[in-house]
Amino acid sequence: MNMQTRLLTVGSDPQTDPAVGEAAQLIRQGRVVALPTETVYGLAGNAADPEAVSRIFAAKQRPEDNPLIVHLAGPEQLDLVSNRVSESARKLAAAFWPGPLTLVLPAAEPFRRTICRSLDTIAVRVPDHPIFLAVIRRSGLVLAAPSANLSGRPSPTTAAHVLDDLNGRIPLVLDGGPCRVGIESTVLDLSGDRPAVLRPGMITADTIGAALGQAPVRFEPGAENRSPGTRYRHYSPDAVVYLVGPAVNQAARSRLWTHLADKKHTGYIGSQALPESLEVEKETPVSTGDLARRLYEILRDMDRRGVTHLVIDAVDESGAGLSLMDRLRRAATHVLLSKEDIDALTT
Ligand code: TXA
Ligand code: MG
């Protein structure tokens, strides 16, 4: 599928920008285009067209059974994609759209055969990004869009990341600058008896519960079979990743660094002081939100700097920290929560 990939920057008025018109036209022709959202860049195509959907799966090398999220211009389009939109769904749509919340609802017929794969539900959201919204409106279609990375790689949060993975595989990338949120939307299943968070995101279970008047079942690893995408190892840089929990004491940490000392190139994401003798590529996030925004960028950057072994400090799992830890666990080769875990690795 070697083709020329064009990169166009969108100006301050997406409504009238010719690049937006070009993207919409390509999509109407059944082609796929990478576009910015507030979370990560998406690879967008006509959700009702089986050929466009095949192109999305092929460009990303996505496993065939992993369904796609459909993106709407506004909640008034909900009835296009589902013929059983509950009161809860309308309430959450009114409260959080446009924004990083994806709702799983019973699917309307035309989409079951395209983006839902074998499921009878559909995942849907309204992205909070003027470029993406302008392309939806100009195309007159609803758009399937997974993250615009090769399957298994960290999601792209800049147009350059998209090109890293998909150059030569898609016709067009619209550059709208870096994404504001940096990790993917919360996925909330409303098709069962109780709302269930299938993928945690920056809109937390508590926030959803407050808007709904009913707390969703919280994200647990056990929920993985309900959201096909969460089965796969995800978000992985090339480096071997060691995720180190807060209960690991200084002595055990030192043993880990000694163990890594003879490795060629080490990196660290965290705020602890490191032994002076070590040469380490270090990134110190200032907050959970800061790390969420920059995590995928940092992971890709560590690869670019040739880091082969990367140590990451776990973050507090309260609030939005839960979604960050979900992504960090998936990126990790080794999850080291105790002194014993470090011993097992280093002896
Ligand atoms: O923030 C986001 O959600 C980004 C931007 C581009 O909108 N999109 C995104 O798409 O992260 P993707 O394809 O990388 O992840 C979609 C997730 C997968 O875990 C998939 O399995 C799940 O949503 N999903 C899609 N349809 C589903 C359904 N009907 N039931 C349960 N899970 C579903
Ligand atoms: Mg993805």
Side-chain angles (χ1 to χ4, degrees):
M1 60 172 75
N2 221 310
M3 63 180 92
Q4 169 101 31
T5 302
R6 286 191 310 143
L7 175 66
L8 295 176
T9 302
V10 180
S12 57
D13 186 8
Q15 306 280 14
T16 58
D17 198 296
V20 165
E22 252 185 79
Q25 197 186 353
L26 279 167
I27 287 171
R28 273 200 307 273
Q29 293 163 353
R31 310 294 297 280
V32 299
V33 174
L35 306 172
T37 81
E38 80 282 33
T39 58
V40 301
Y41 275 70
L43 183 60
N46 179 358
D49 174 2
E51 268 186 44
V53 171
S54 300
R55 288 200 169 105
I56 293 176
F57 278 83
K60 274 185 64 87
Q61 300 177 324
R62 185 177 178 96
E64 282 297 326
D65 64 345
N66 193 5
L68 306 178
I69 296 174
V70 63
H71 296 68
L72 312 178
E76 67 284 353
Q77 291 186 315
L78 261 175
D79 301 284
L80 295 174
V81 298
S82 176
N83 31 36
R84 276 191 291 134
V85 181
S86 62
E87 270 316 296
S88 300
R90 297 211 194 271
K91 209 188 249 183
L92 292 172
F96 297 108
W97 286 354
L101 177 65
T102 295
L103 302 177
V104 174
L105 308 171
E109 196 46 57
F111 302 100
R112 290 195 189 178
R113 274 164 289 127
T114 58
I115 62 169
C116 305
R117 315 319 273 180
S118 58
L119 301 174
D120 53 12
T121 54
I122 190 164
V124 56
R125 81 182 193 98
V126 176
D128 188 12
H129 199 293
I131 295 175
F132 205 115
L133 290 172
V135 174
I136 301 177
R137 293 207 186 90
R138 284 280 274 278
S139 71
L141 300 166
V142 295
L143 303 185
S147 50
N149 51 295
L150 281 176
S151 214
R153 299 272 300 146
S155 291
T157 53
T158 66
H161 298 165
V162 176
L163 288 177
D164 281 349
D165 282 13
L166 300 182
N167 196 12
R169 306 179 68 84
I170 58 175
L172 179 63
V173 181
L174 292 192
D175 189 347
C179 300
R180 173 170 62 76
V181 176
I183 62 170
E184 307 84 349
S185 62
T186 307
V187 177
L188 183 74
D189 187 354
L190 292 176
S191 70
D193 296 339
R194 285 204 48 193
V197 176
L198 303 184
R199 179 176 71 182
M202 294 306 265
I203 296 183
T204 65
D206 285 346
T207 312
I208 292 165
L212 210 49
Q214 178 192 25
V217 182
R218 301 226 173 197
F219 171 80
E220 284 165 38
E224 289 188 347
N225 42 8
R226 291 180 65 183
S227 188
T230 52
R231 273 204 303 272
Y232 305 102
R233 184 161 181 254
H234 257 87
Y235 316 112
S236 321
D238 297 334
V240 179
V241 175
Y242 303 83
L243 180 62
V244 180
V248 174
N249 64 22
Q250 268 316 326
R253 278 175 173 272
S254 298
R255 278 205 300 288
L256 176 61
W257 283 114
T258 307
H259 173 72
L260 295 178
D262 58 342
K263 308 287 193 225
K264 278 186 280 322
H265 209 149
T266 50
Y268 174 56
I269 306 175
S271 54
Q272 302 224 348
L274 298 177
E276 295 253 324
S277 55
L278 287 178
E279 246 185 73
V280 179
E281 306 277 353
K282 184 173 174 181
E283 285 286 344
T284 302
V286 297
S287 65
T288 300
D290 177 48
L291 183 54
R293 201 158 37 247
R294 296 199 294 128
L295 176 65
Y296 296 142
E297 164 102 58
I298 294 173
L299 293 180
R300 283 174 183 267
D301 210 49
M302 290 285 180
D303 280 345
R304 197 160 34 239
R305 289 191 254 170
V307 167
T308 56
H309 295 77
L310 175 62
V311 177
I312 308 180
D313 282 349
V315 300
D316 180 2
E317 281 191 86
S318 63
L322 180 70
S323 55
L324 202 48
M325 276 300 283
D326 169 64
R327 307 315 191 266
L328 290 175
R329 281 208 175 84
R330 289 175 200 291
T333 323
H334 303 282
V335 179
L336 307 170
L337 297 179
S338 66
K339 171 182 162 307
E340 286 72 27
D341 291 344
I342 303 259
D343 291 341
L345 188 80
T346 56
T347 52

